[in-house]
Amino acid sequence: MSAIERTDAAPAGLEDFPPGVEPNETLRVIGSARAMRRLRPDPVPDALVRALVWAGTRAASPNNSQLWRFVVVRDADQKAAIGGALERFVRWIDSLGEPADGRDAHIRTEARHLAVSIADAPVLLVVCAEHSYPERGPDLRYLWPAVNTASQNVLVAARSLGLGATLTMMHVGNEQAVRDILGLPDDVHIGTMIPVGWPDRPFGPVRRRPLDDVVHHDRWRGGGHARDAKDPQ
Ligand SMILES: Cc1cc2nc3c(=O)[nH]c(=O)nc-3n(C[C@H](O)[C@H](O)[C@H](O)COP(=O)(O)O)c2cc1C
């Protein structure tokens, strides 16, 4: 039995999969790799963490520059220090007005939980990138996509191994503090922080807008914003 079957207690996330294509295991993984913010404290073996980093480093990057760098944080003191730096993020969430709806309220509660409990996550994967491409004049427009391709590969690989993970940018409100804790050189930027652990909630379908809300054929038609479209839930 695969890791996907073993951990699934909810629909596989293929409810709106386009007809005419038989979804394979990779597509099933993608369809159910939702943000997993509730993690069990049980340790994650090194081999699995290395598999996640391997997946991250299989990603595309401009001219195969492989700008990404990974800081794997497992040390309790380091995680606690990062947790301290995230207090600003927590205060920011607490300062927001009324949530727009139940889904907004839910994400806030869960994101807050993840931030305050970051020291309990078995692994914190910090996906960074070197600001070095192109060589003749480094341009951040190349750096961020490289971080993101690697990060998404990590999320998908985690799901495929039965691990929970969430792409976060919790560092942005106190980036220098996080940089100092990690000891990053000046030319290395933090892209994402991905807490990883065994899931404490069932994986479930990722809920997304219907394709027709977000796809334009050959050229943009209509002036509406996607956010005006019907809520996917
Ligand atoms: C650029 C980016 C930044 C994000 N930042 C955070 C974050 O700081 N904290 C958090 O808990 N989730 C964060 N997320 C996760 C999103 O909230 C999540 O992908 C989205 O709500 C969809 O959730 P689902 O996959 O469970 O459907 C971020 C995702 C992206 C792509």
Side-chain angles (χ1 to χ4, degrees):
M1 191 181 278
S2 75
I4 305 168
E5 284 159 336
R6 208 172 56 237
T7 53
D8 254 342
L14 293 168
E15 293 74 8
D16 58 353
F17 190 75
V21 176
E22 186 58 38
N24 58 25
E25 179 139 327
T26 305
L27 294 165
R28 292 184 56 214
V29 164
I30 289 171
S32 60
R34 55 175 285 242
M36 183 60 69
R37 300 186 181 88
R38 300 276 170 165
L39 301 170
R40 302 208 306 263
D42 313 58
V44 175
D46 269 338
L48 290 182
V49 177
R50 288 187 70 78
L52 298 185
V53 176
W54 177 89
T57 58
R58 298 309 100 172
S61 62
N63 204 17
N64 206 17
S65 49
Q66 304 173 59
L67 304 170
W68 43 67
R69 301 290 179 269
F70 298 81
V71 184
V72 179
V73 184
R74 290 175 167 286
D75 179 78
D77 292 340
Q78 283 289 82
K79 287 188 290 183
I82 291 171
L86 298 186
E87 279 169 16
R88 276 198 201 170
F89 176 75
V90 175
R91 282 203 298 275
W92 172 73
I93 292 184
D94 291 344
S95 74
L96 297 173
E98 281 298 301
D101 51 29
R103 187 169 49 119
D104 187 25
H106 174 73
I107 290 181
R108 279 191 208 176
T109 304
E110 295 303 296
R112 188 184 196 285
H113 168 82
L114 188 63
V116 299
S117 64
I118 199 74
D120 301 328
V123 185
L124 182 59
L125 212 55
V126 186
V127 185
C128 305
E130 255 187 30
H131 189 27
S132 59
Y133 186 87
E135 228 176 297
R136 64 185 177 281
D139 184 335
L140 288 170
R141 287 176 296 181
Y142 290 95
L143 180 145
W144 301 124
V147 163
N148 295 335
T149 53
S151 299
Q152 182 66 19
N153 268 13
V154 168
L155 297 182
V156 171
R159 172 68 187 102
S160 76
L161 294 167
L163 287 164
T166 307
L167 188 155
T168 83
M169 291 190 67
M170 296 184 287
H171 62 286
V172 294
N174 204 2
E175 189 162 353
Q176 190 56 50
V178 178
R179 295 182 60 82
D180 291 344
I181 292 163
L182 297 174
L184 297 182
D186 288 347
D187 64 340
V188 172
H189 293 269
I190 302 176
T192 66
M193 296 208 304
I194 306 181
V196 178
W198 298 107
D200 203 20
R201 294 283 188 278
F203 287 107
V206 296
R207 294 195 171 80
R208 301 294 186 256
R209 295 179 187 284
L211 295 190
D212 287 345
D213 279 6
V214 296
V215 178
H216 298 253
H217 293 282
D218 298 325
R219 56 160 294 159
W220 189 279
R221 287 170 213 281
H225 288 288
R227 71 175 73 93
D228 297 331
K230 195 158 57 70
D231 191 294
Q233 294 187 46

